Amino acid sequence: MTHDVCVVVPTIREYECVRAYVENARSHGFDTDRLFFVLVTEDFCDSREMERMLRDLGVAGEVFDGTRREEWFEANEIAEFSHLVPAASHAQTSFGLLYLWANGFDYGVFIDDDTLPHDEWDFFGRHMENLAFEGPIESVRSDERWVNVLYQAFDDHGLYPRGYPYAAMDETVETSRRAVDHVVASQGLWTNVPDLDAVRILMDGDLQGQAQTRTSVADFTGDFVVDPGQYLTVCSMNLAFRREVVPAFYQLPMDDNEWDVGRFDDIWSGVFLKRAADLLGHDVLTGDPLCEHNKAPRPTFDDLNNEVPGLELNEHLWEYVDEVGGDAETYAEAFAAMADRLAEGDFAELNNGAFLNHVGEYMRDWLDCLDALAGLDAEPQPVPADD
């Protein structure tokens, strides 16, 4: 097999992390010919250096700054949908999803540029094993219908991840074992800097956006899934998924909107993914492979300003999508039902409630964009030689 895994790395700073992931793959015997890297960056970054790095590593891939993304939309005759990828936002991972969809990749992997793989895991190999997993596994639920992905060592650290609703805290956790037969997403967790929201970081006494409390390998005791009808936070910094979920996995239009809502792109896409997976009888597996998260210091109050406009929305979004999609037979149908619920809903009682209508309209556009790309069968090409 050749290039069946599209590795999407949004980056404006630490793109050299790709070297560590390629080295990890080769040290564990994972076939790097399966990997095609898509680096999503900006015009003010050194795209040529990124291209040189991919050539030096001997791996296939392309680098897309803002200009090249616009050219790609034009070349594929979908320029009317370029608004789906917000400027200078982590949600630009959606461009990677479009590239994957247009070029026929079977799997996708999201990697944040402030992470590194742990040597003890075959990073790509373990994600592929997780997606192929069938059999009994720990399944988790709570009386609040939300599962804290950091529940395994919660008594020691007391952490809740970014995006976990405040109303669902102080939950009672129950675990059991059940058989799964179709895993559609593999979420790897993170050591060192935990993925927390700004309020929780401030409560942890940190003004540099990192949190004083750190996680280690010992805080994670094994893989798990979450019961049907329950929700979890999905972070895109270390995540693999099957092609089939792309219609329901749009990374939402954050940051570049009139309500100034940001920081919930992967969180809300994870809510949609979990709802769709439940409707179709599929599962999201969480646990290994861990990555090392080395978040750069930045003012916690900057993140707080980005998160506050969406905090109330985050408390209720899952309740709205939980009401719809019962007759869906595909990820696209499930997503369409959720899109309609948001686009046509009355959310005037919520702060910035109109943003949910905005999101619903973009979700509809996402499905239309994928339909427009569905007929393409292009073969992705390696980065061209430097002139």
Side-chain angles (χ1 to χ4, degrees), residues 192-205:
N192 195 25
V193 181
D195 183 33
L196 310 183
D197 67 21
V199 172
R200 291 178 170 112
I201 292 172
L202 289 171
M203 293 297 293
D204 199 41

Side-chain angles (χ1 to χ4, degrees), residues 318-358:
W318 71 275
E319 297 170 331
Y320 302 134
V321 302
D322 193 65
E323 300 169 353
V324 299
D327 58 351
E329 297 182 355
T330 67
Y331 281 91
E333 289 178 3
F335 199 65
M338 292 184 269
D340 291 345
R341 176 67 181 91
L342 297 182
E344 299 168 10
D346 180 2
F347 309 110
E349 75 280 4
L350 302 179
N351 287 313
N352 298 320
F355 180 67
L356 294 183
N357 304 125
H358 176 76

Side-chain angles (χ1 to χ4, degrees), residues 346-383:
D346 180 2
F347 309 110
E349 75 280 4
L350 302 179
N351 287 313
N352 298 320
F355 180 67
L356 294 183
N357 304 125
H358 176 76
V359 165
E361 294 293 347
Y362 271 56
M363 292 165 69
R364 287 170 164 173
D365 288 350
W366 177 254
L367 292 173
D368 289 343
C369 183
L370 295 181
D371 285 344
L373 285 171
L376 296 178
D377 190 24
E379 178 69 21
Q381 298 296 321
V383 174

Side-chain angles (χ1 to χ4, degrees), residues 71-132:
E71 292 171 350
W72 187 88
F73 277 104
E74 291 281 354
N76 287 283
E77 301 180 356
I78 55 168
E80 71 218 71
F81 297 109
S82 63
H83 64 282
L84 289 170
V85 181
S89 169
H90 185 268
Q92 289 174 342
T93 45
S94 283
F95 178 80
L97 295 178
L98 293 177
Y99 191 92
L100 179 157
W101 190 256
N103 290 285
F105 293 97
D106 295 326
Y107 306 101
V109 177
F110 285 157
I111 295 174
D112 274 8
D113 70 354
D114 59 358
T115 68
L116 293 171
H118 278 270
D119 291 340
E120 54 264 50
W121 283 279
D122 174 359
F123 180 83
F124 295 107
R126 182 57 181 264
H127 272 309
M128 294 301 106
E129 290 172 8
N130 289 347
L131 292 175

Side-chain angles (χ1 to χ4, degrees), residues 87-218:
S89 169
H90 185 268
Q92 289 174 342
T93 45
S94 283
F95 178 80
L97 295 178
L98 293 177
Y99 191 92
L100 179 157
W101 190 256
N103 290 285
F105 293 97
D106 295 326
Y107 306 101
V109 177
F110 285 157
I111 295 174
D112 274 8
D113 70 354
D114 59 358
T115 68
L116 293 171
H118 278 270
D119 291 340
E120 54 264 50
W121 283 279
D122 174 359
F123 180 83
F124 295 107
R126 182 57 181 264
H127 272 309
M128 294 301 106
E129 290 172 8
N130 289 347
L131 292 175
F133 178 81
E134 297 180 6
I137 191 173
E138 181 164 276
S139 190
V140 192
R141 63 179 297 111
S142 88
D143 58 341
E144 297 289 350
R145 294 189 62 198
W146 271 84
V147 170
N148 177 359
V149 297
L150 303 176
Y151 78 94
Q152 292 169 335
F154 183 81
D155 290 343
D156 297 325
H157 55 57
L159 298 176
Y160 285 99
R162 176 176 57 90
Y164 190 94
Y166 286 90
M169 293 170 60
D170 300 319
E171 75 283 13
T172 298
V173 176
E174 298 178 357
T175 64
S176 61
R177 291 187 70 80
R178 67 179 173 90
V180 302
D181 59 12
H182 193 70
V183 174
V184 293
S186 167
Q187 176 180 207
L189 296 175
W190 1 267
T191 62
N192 195 25
V193 181
D195 183 33
L196 310 183
D197 67 21
V199 172
R200 291 178 170 112
I201 292 172
L202 289 171
M203 293 297 293
D204 199 41
D206 192 293
L207 299 183
Q208 297 301 309
Q210 295 185 309
Q212 296 292 313
T213 303
R214 301 300 172 93
T215 54
S216 68
V217 172

